[in-house]
Amino acid sequence: AGFAASSVYGELIMYSNSVNYGILRGNPFTSFGENAAVLIQTIVMVVLVWKYKDDPPIPGAMRLVVVVFYILYLVYVHTFLVPDYYYLLMAANWPALMLAKGSQILETNRVKHTGGQSVITITMNLVGSMIRIVTTIVEIGWDLALLSGYIFSVVLNATMLAQYFIYKKNTTKFLEELKQKKKK
C-alpha cells in the first residue's frame, strides 16, 4: 500500500540511464557501480509490485508493455545511440526522476502516510545522492549532466524524508490497521 507503480518504472528508467551512461562513456565503475546495484534492486521491485500490488493490480498487458519497452530501450541505447547524444541519457533522468520520486511524493501526500517506505532507505538515498555529488566531481570532474541529476535527487529525496516525519503518526496508524486486518 502506498506505492505508485509509476514510481518504480521511473526509477527503472533512471537507474538504467545512469548505468548505461557510465558504461557508454567509459567512466570508472566506481562512478556508477552503486547505480548498477540499485538497478538490480529496482528490477526486483518492479516484479514485487506486479505480484503484490492490488489497489488496483497491474494488468498483464501493462506488464508486457513495460517489458517490451525496456528491451527496445536497451537495444536502442547500445546499438543506435551515438556518442554525441550520450548526454541525453542523463538529461532524460530529470523527467524520470520526477516521475519516480514526484509520483511517490504525490501518492504519499494523497494517502497521508508513507505506507511501507523505509526511513532508512529514504535516508540512504538522500545521503547517497549527496555523496555522489562529491565523488562525481572528484572522479569525473564537473560533468553537469551527471551533477544536475544528483542535485535534483537530493531535493526530491529530502522532500520524501520530510514527508516521512510529517506523516509518521498517520503511517504508524495505517500500519497498525493493516496488521489488524491481517490477523482477521
Side-chain angles (χ1 to χ4, degrees):
F3 277 101
S6 57
S7 174
V8 291
Y9 298 152
E11 287 187 4
L12 179 65
I13 294 165
M14 185 180 63
Y15 290 117
S16 295
N17 284 347
S18 295
V19 170
N20 288 319
Y21 181 80
I23 290 169
L24 293 170
R25 288 203 23 133
N27 290 344
F29 183 74
T30 54
S31 73
F32 66 88
E34 85 281 354
N35 282 330
V38 176
L39 174 59
I40 293 166
Q41 292 173 343
T42 303
I43 291 169
V44 170
M45 269 302 278
V46 167
V47 172
L48 290 173
V49 166
W50 287 350
K51 181 168 176 57
Y52 294 108
K53 184 165 175 53
D54 61 359
D55 60 345
I58 309 298
M62 175 58 80
R63 296 176 194 189
L64 181 61
V65 166
V66 169
V67 170
V68 168
F69 173 79
Y70 190 68
I71 290 168
L72 291 174
Y73 155 82
L74 290 173
V75 168
Y76 177 80
V77 166
H78 289 280
T79 306
F80 301 109
L81 189 63
V82 295
D84 287 347
Y85 294 112
Y86 289 169
Y87 77 93
L88 292 175
L89 291 170
M90 296 313 295
N93 272 0
W94 275 66
L97 187 57
M98 184 52 90
L99 174 66
K101 302 292 183 183
S103 62
Q104 189 59 58
I105 289 166
L106 291 174
E107 177 69 7
T108 298
N109 187 57
R110 183 184 72 78
V111 297
K112 306 293 186 219
H113 64 77
T114 58
Q117 295 178 63
S118 165
V119 70
I120 294 168
T121 301
I122 295 168
T123 303
M124 287 173 45
N125 286 339
L126 175 60
V127 172
S129 296
M130 292 189 303
I131 291 170
R132 182 49 53 211
I133 291 169
V134 175
T135 58
T136 297
I137 293 168
V138 170
E139 291 186 353
I140 297 171
W142 291 91
D143 184 334
L144 295 181
L146 279 173
L147 290 172
S148 63
Y150 293 132
I151 292 166
F152 191 43
S153 184
V154 165
V155 170
L156 293 173
N157 283 317
T159 302
M160 290 178 69
L161 185 61
Q163 284 184 316
Y164 174 83
F165 291 106
I166 290 167
Y167 296 122
K168 186 174 183 177
K169 188 175 180 180
N170 290 354
T171 301
T172 302
K173 181 180 175 187
F174 168 78
L175 293 174
E176 187 58 40
E177 289 171 358
L178 189 62
K179 192 175 176 182
Q180 294 301 321
K181 281 184 187 177
K182 287 183 179 183
K183 285 183 179 179
K184 293 179 182 180

